[in-house]
Amino acid sequence: MANGGPVEHGYPHLETVRAAVTALYKRLSYDTIQTFATSVAPVDVAFCDTDDLHLGTQRVARELVRHYRLPDARMIVGFREMEHAAHIELAAGPEYFVELNDRFRTHRRDIGAALAHEIMHVYLHRLDLSFPGTRDNEILTDTATTYLGAGWLLLDAFREDALTSQKLGYLTPEEFGYVLAKRALLFGEDPSTWFTSAQAYEAYARGLARARLDEQQPPLTAAGWVGRRRYARDRRHAQDRMPADESGTAYAFTPDGRGPLRVSFPCPTCHQRIRVPVRGRVRARCALCRTVLECDT
């Protein structure tokens, strides 16, 4: 939790974020992810200063448990002084003990954001889905929280001005915006109307622009002129068995002794790599997320 300190920006964890999205599709399946098409509604996790602290916290926790489809999980929430925003004990259940930072006693509108991340830990624990190392595992948790419909709360908790700052979670604001945009493009949502933080809205706009770039990389037909020109040069080198400079590109050419040259590239939705023959216009379907892609290979 950044509380008054510097907030990291940009996309330093982007590859781990993309790996987390792929891992979600592999572990949950396309059909299960589709059941999360509706995000947590602002009204369901609203918390005003006149609400009873403990009753309101339990109400928000129950709503997030319902959203994550954890009906047999009960959250017991308390508050104490601590360095991090929150902590949860991952036991066998069905009761889980969540501790929130004392600052949430007076910053109640962000309680939903803290709980969304901690209860996602329970969800992933039950799935037996984790990444090695604390940092990558927390990035997985933030990514899953956002992709499955509750992470807009974490982004909305980001506020920054010349004197103060606050950010929850391990992703940067732009990375939260990127994952939220990937979800919005998948389900046709517009989460921008839910933000109470102007800085969160700006981070979402930057993340959306970055997410759209994923859909404009060669060999996809939506690729721009510069990308198509470089792709054509690299393809020519690969066909002539010359070394191609593919640094900075998402695609890679691979020879196939039994057929035509092939090109592999990440699916813009789930980032699973797709491999297709190099033979002009091709329609490819990602086996993991079922996205149909128009390619010019």
Side-chain angles (χ1 to χ4, degrees), residues 258-281:
R258 297 168 297 174
L261 184 72
R262 291 179 176 270
V263 61
S264 65
F265 60 95
C267 170
T269 300
C270 70
H271 304 289
Q272 171 87 327
R273 290 197 75 83
I274 299 171
R275 191 165 178 255
V276 296
V278 174
R279 63 182 184 200
R281 289 271 180 163

Side-chain angles (χ1 to χ4, degrees), residues 13-235:
H13 315 113
L14 191 57
E15 290 310 308
T16 307
V17 167
R18 288 170 171 167
V21 173
T22 306
L24 280 176
Y25 273 96
K26 287 183 175 179
R27 186 66 182 86
L28 289 177
S29 81
Y30 165 85
D31 290 327
T32 301
I33 285 180
Q34 289 296 310
T35 66
F36 288 92
T38 302
S39 289
V40 172
V43 67
D44 291 332
V45 290
F47 204 132
C48 45
D49 292 338
T50 57
D51 290 344
D52 180 271
L53 175 63
H54 293 282
L55 292 178
T57 300
Q58 292 297 148
R59 172 183 56 80
V60 173
R62 285 194 300 270
E63 178 57 33
L64 290 164
V65 165
R66 183 205 62 79
H67 176 76
Y68 292 142
R69 293 158 180 79
L70 296 167
D72 59 339
R74 297 189 298 274
M75 303 296 147
I76 301 172
V77 187
F79 297 81
R80 71 173 175 89
E81 290 187 10
M82 55 196 302
E83 178 184 357
H84 298 291
H87 174 74
I88 191 167
E89 291 288 343
L90 292 176
E95 291 185 340
Y96 297 88
F97 294 88
V98 185
E99 294 178 315
L100 298 183
N101 192 300
D102 257 345
R103 77 188 307 272
F104 290 116
R105 292 179 181 272
T106 55
H107 292 73
R108 299 185 180 185
R109 67 173 178 171
D110 297 323
I111 284 176
L115 288 175
H117 176 94
E118 298 307 317
I119 298 174
M120 176 52 70
H121 273 300
V122 175
Y123 185 80
L124 296 176
H125 178 68
R126 292 190 171 191
L127 285 176
D128 193 26
L129 176 59
S130 64
F131 279 0
T134 300
R135 169 188 167 276
D136 286 1
N137 201 53
E138 293 291 350
I139 291 171
L140 168 65
T141 304
D142 277 343
T143 303
T145 304
T146 307
Y147 205 78
L148 298 184
W152 69 267
L153 290 161
L154 285 161
L155 179 54
D156 195 39
F158 166 56
R159 290 178 283 280
E160 186 177 39
D161 58 35
L163 300 176
T164 62
S165 64
Q166 174 185 279
K167 185 189 76 69
L168 303 183
Y170 284 69
L171 300 185
T172 68
E174 291 77 15
E175 287 169 341
F176 272 120
Y178 172 82
V179 181
L180 190 58
K182 300 291 277 192
R183 173 187 167 80
L185 293 170
L186 177 67
F187 292 119
E189 281 187 332
D190 181 13
S192 62
T193 59
W194 303 334
F195 294 127
T196 61
S197 162
Q199 294 78 25
Y201 181 89
E202 293 166 1
Y204 172 69
R206 290 192 290 270
L208 178 59
R210 186 66 186 82
R212 290 193 184 280
L213 284 178
D214 291 347
E215 302 176 340
Q216 300 168 7
Q217 299 300 311
L220 301 175
T221 56
W225 180 81
V226 173
R228 294 294 313 161
R229 183 183 176 92
R230 177 172 182 178
Y231 177 85
R233 183 198 64 195
D234 292 340
R235 178 183 59 197

